[in-house]
Amino acid sequence: MRQYHLGRALAQAQPNIALVKYWGKRDIRRNLPETGSLSVTLEALWTRMEVELDPSLEADSLSVDGRDVPELLPRVSRCLDQVAGPDRPRARVASETNFPVGAGLASSAAAFAALVVAASRAAGKAHDALTLARLAGAQSGSAARSLFGGIVALDAGQDEIAVESLCAARDWALEVLVAITDRHAKPVGSSEAMRRCAETSPFYRYWVDRQSADLGAARRAVTLRDFASLAATAEHNCLKMHSLMWTSRPPIVYWNDATIGCMQAVRELAAGGCPVFFTIDAGPQVKAVTLPDETARVREALAAVPGVLEVLHSTLGGGARLLETA
Ligand code: DP6
């Protein structure tokens, strides 16, 4: 009879926020990104994922914050097959999150990064961080970056991605404020939105062709700790990505009035000399990146924008890690 490693493991990962965005796929089946991206991994927001392999189970199960979510199960099962092998025992998977899920806060990035770490340990595998990043990225492209901490670069090769941390969290004290403007799940998921942009936005090719220039500029800014240059590249890159969405057919608009209010608030602070810039993902929340001395001022300005429900704050943090095993 075949012997399995039967284990239980709990892992934690934090979401990451892209400053040069991943938006478009080279290979949809393998979920390979068309271009590279660059992100910061957060500290204060987290997802914890527990995986228990149990041969007495007939099927995998998944609960998110105590609620069964069968609709998300196929992707989780696929991920478990890739990490632990398709003939693995069935698994009980439970996740817990301390921030809104599915609202443009990279919840899937944190979830799959934590899942691959927990599943790998539960199955007794010894995958290294890059292998785990590739396995997480196969489910959700941005998840590959949450395996690493600080400022993270993802390079898109023809067949494989490469991911590395460019700068540890302690080496550049960037701070991130997240203005929550809507807690509902987004109307169009990232995969579908990317497909629509690639197929219908007249600017998609231009976007792809310019990504390596933006990545080069952002990498240089990180090496030099040049906040102003990182700010200029990140805001431009974000607005280009949203322009693809706006020019798709039918268009995709994730923003609301408060999203625009927050962008204006950040622009006003920056015009007054405050080191701050915004970025926005596939959702209506606005992420402002600043330096420690300015955090209180930026937080206050965002909280004063009509329609802002809450402002979350985070420093940069480490990559996905194991919390316990049994
Ligand atoms: C706007 O990683 O959620 O946050 O690979 O289809 O799961 P899939 O997409 P996902 O897309 C993230 C898009 C983004 C930009 C980014 O994080 O780089």
Side-chain angles (χ1 to χ4, degrees):
M1 209 176 90
R2 184 159 182 155
Q3 292 294 303
Y4 296 106
H5 184 281
L6 295 179
R8 189 192 71 82
L10 176 68
Q12 172 171 319
Q14 291 88 244
N16 67 77
I17 308 289
L19 306 184
V20 176
K21 308 292 187 187
Y22 147 52
W23 198 253
K25 302 181 197 237
R26 179 190 307 266
D27 181 334
I28 291 181
R29 197 183 53 80
R30 295 178 59 205
N31 206 42
L32 278 177
E34 180 111 68
T35 67
S37 53
L38 185 142
S39 60
V40 292
T41 302
L42 303 183
E43 171 68 17
L45 313 187
W46 49 255
T47 294
R48 292 185 184 142
M49 191 66 85
E50 186 178 53
V51 174
E52 189 178 0
L53 293 170
D54 180 347
S56 72
L57 292 175
E58 293 202 343
D60 293 332
S61 67
L62 170 68
S63 76
V64 175
D65 293 328
R67 207 171 48 84
D68 274 351
V69 277
E71 65 278 13
L72 300 179
L73 190 57
R75 233 162 132 203
V76 166
S77 294
R78 223 168 24 244
C79 184
L80 293 171
D81 289 348
Q82 289 184 356
V83 175
D87 56 354
R88 65 179 169 85
R90 298 303 94 187
R92 212 173 281 114
V93 179
S95 92
E96 199 192 328
T97 295
N98 74 343
F99 61 95
V101 170
L105 281 177
S107 51
S108 66
F112 284 106
L115 181 65
V116 294
V117 172
S120 170
R121 174 51 79 95
K125 306 281 180 193
H127 297 307
D128 63 15
L130 178 58
T131 305
L132 289 172
R134 288 174 174 161
L135 288 164
Q139 301 309 322
S140 185
S142 55
R145 298 184 311 239
S146 275
L147 267 297
F148 295 85
I151 304 183
V152 178
L154 183 151
D155 286 311
Q158 206 52 43
D159 291 316
E160 239 6 316
I161 54 165
V163 195
E164 61 173 331
S165 177
L166 298 179
C167 169
R170 64 178 173 281
D171 291 337
W172 196 6
L174 299 178
E175 306 242 334
V176 182
L177 292 146
V178 183
I180 307 287
T181 66
D182 187 346
R183 289 203 183 83
H184 296 102
K186 57 194 168 199
V188 186
S190 304
S191 298
E192 159 61 14
M194 286 184 206
R195 188 195 55 74
R196 200 184 298 172
C197 288
E199 286 174 6
T200 66
S201 170
F203 306 131
Y204 183 72
R205 263 296 121 202
Y206 177 82
W207 158 258
V208 170
D209 291 345
R210 295 296 301 164
Q211 272 302 85
S212 62
D214 284 8
L215 278 167
R219 271 178 177 270
R220 264 190 309 283
V222 171
T223 306
L224 302 171
R225 309 284 193 268
D226 180 344
F227 189 90
S229 164
L230 186 62
T233 302
E235 279 195 4
H236 179 63
N237 192 265
C238 161
L239 293 173
K240 275 196 293 190
M241 179 184 76
H242 284 275
S243 309
L244 297 179
M245 300 177 192
W246 286 48
T247 50
S248 289
R249 289 185 164 172
I252 303 158
V253 179
Y254 287 115
W255 301 355
N256 57 34
D257 289 353
T259 312
I260 295 177
C262 289
M263 292 160 73
Q264 274 163 350
V266 168
R267 281 269 158 98
E268 271 164 34
L269 285 170
C274 175
V276 63
F277 65 89
F278 64 76
T279 190
I280 305 162
D281 292 298
Q285 333 302 358
V286 177
K287 291 101 181 190
V289 180
T290 187
L291 295 171
D293 286 351
E294 306 293 342
T295 303
R297 187 149 62 116
V298 175
R299 178 178 210 145
E300 211 174 293
L302 290 173
V305 172
V308 169
L309 306 172
E310 187 184 2
V311 180
L312 310 175
H313 167 233
S314 183
T315 56
L316 303 197
R321 65 184 195 281
L322 218 46
L323 295 182
E324 0 164 316
T325 57

PDB file of all heavy atoms in Angstrom, residues 126-133:
ATOM      1  N   ALA A 126       9.844  19.448   0.081  1.00  0.00           N
ATOM      2  CA  ALA A 126      10.871  20.431   0.457  1.00  0.00           C
ATOM      3  C   ALA A 126      11.065  21.441  -0.679  1.00  0.00           C
ATOM      4  O   ALA A 126      12.166  21.632  -1.172  1.00  0.00           O
ATOM      5  CB  ALA A 126      12.177  19.723   0.769  1.00  0.00           C
ATOM      6  N   HIS A 127       9.966  22.041  -1.124  1.00  0.00           N
ATOM      7  CA  HIS A 127      10.058  23.019  -2.221  1.00  0.00           C
ATOM      8  C   HIS A 127      10.757  24.288  -1.739  1.00  0.00           C
ATOM      9  O   HIS A 127      10.470  24.776  -0.641  1.00  0.00           O
ATOM     10  CB  HIS A 127       8.663  23.419  -2.692  1.00  0.00           C
ATOM     11  CG  HIS A 127       7.863  22.297  -3.262  1.00  0.00           C
ATOM     12  ND1 HIS A 127       8.312  21.492  -4.266  1.00  0.00           N
ATOM     13  CD2 HIS A 127       6.607  21.866  -2.985  1.00  0.00           C
ATOM     14  CE1 HIS A 127       7.379  20.606  -4.593  1.00  0.00           C
ATOM     15  NE2 HIS A 127       6.329  20.805  -3.816  1.00  0.00           N
ATOM     16  N   ASP A 128      11.629  24.860  -2.561  1.00  0.00           N
ATOM     17  CA  ASP A 128      12.248  26.138  -2.176  1.00  0.00           C
ATOM     18  C   ASP A 128      11.295  27.294  -2.511  1.00  0.00           C
ATOM     19  O   ASP A 128      10.241  27.095  -3.127  1.00  0.00           O
ATOM     20  CB  ASP A 128      13.627  26.314  -2.826  1.00  0.00           C
ATOM     21  CG  ASP A 128      13.541  26.371  -4.345  1.00  0.00           C
ATOM     22  OD1 ASP A 128      12.428  26.553  -4.882  1.00  0.00           O
ATOM     23  OD2 ASP A 128      14.587  26.220  -4.997  1.00  0.00           O
ATOM     24  N   ALA A 129      11.681  28.510  -2.080  1.00  0.00           N
ATOM     25  CA  ALA A 129      10.756  29.654  -2.206  1.00  0.00           C
ATOM     26  C   ALA A 129      10.409  29.961  -3.664  1.00  0.00           C
ATOM     27  O   ALA A 129       9.258  30.289  -3.978  1.00  0.00           O
ATOM     28  CB  ALA A 129      11.359  30.883  -1.531  1.00  0.00           C
ATOM     29  N   LEU A 130      11.383  29.813  -4.569  1.00  0.00           N
ATOM     30  CA  LEU A 130      11.076  30.120  -5.976  1.00  0.00           C
ATOM     31  C   LEU A 130      10.093  29.100  -6.551  1.00  0.00           C
ATOM     32  O   LEU A 130       9.150  29.458  -7.264  1.00  0.00           O
ATOM     33  CB  LEU A 130      12.370  30.176  -6.807  1.00  0.00           C
ATOM     34  CG  LEU A 130      12.152  30.443  -8.299  1.00  0.00           C
ATOM     35  CD1 LEU A 130      11.402  31.755  -8.533  1.00  0.00           C
ATOM     36  CD2 LEU A 130      13.481  30.454  -9.053  1.00  0.00           C
ATOM     37  N   THR A 131      10.295  27.820  -6.203  1.00  0.00           N
ATOM     38  CA  THR A 131       9.354  26.789  -6.683  1.00  0.00           C
ATOM     39  C   THR A 131       7.961  27.065  -6.127  1.00  0.00           C
ATOM     40  O   THR A 131       6.959  26.984  -6.849  1.00  0.00           O
ATOM     41  CB  THR A 131       9.837  25.383  -6.237  1.00  0.00           C
ATOM     42  OG1 THR A 131      11.172  25.227  -6.695  1.00  0.00           O
ATOM     43  CG2 THR A 131       8.956  24.289  -6.782  1.00  0.00           C
ATOM     44  N   LEU A 132       7.893  27.429  -4.854  1.00  0.00           N
ATOM     45  CA  LEU A 132       6.588  27.732  -4.257  1.00  0.00           C
ATOM     46  C   LEU A 132       5.972  28.954  -4.939  1.00  0.00           C
ATOM     47  O   LEU A 132       4.756  29.007  -5.172  1.00  0.00           O
ATOM     48  CB  LEU A 132       6.732  27.971  -2.752  1.00  0.00           C
ATOM     49  CG  LEU A 132       7.051  26.713  -1.932  1.00  0.00           C
ATOM     50  CD1 LEU A 132       7.376  27.080  -0.490  1.00  0.00           C
ATOM     51  CD2 LEU A 132       5.893  25.718  -1.978  1.00  0.00           C
ATOM     52  N   ALA A 133       6.798  29.949  -5.272  1.00  0.00           N
ATOM     53  CA  ALA A 133       6.289  31.143  -5.952  1.00  0.00           C
ATOM     54  C   ALA A 133       5.694  30.756  -7.307  1.00  0.00           C
ATOM     55  O   ALA A 133       4.632  31.242  -7.697  1.00  0.00           O
ATOM     56  CB  ALA A 133       7.409  32.164  -6.132  1.00  0.00           C
TER      57      ALA A 133
END
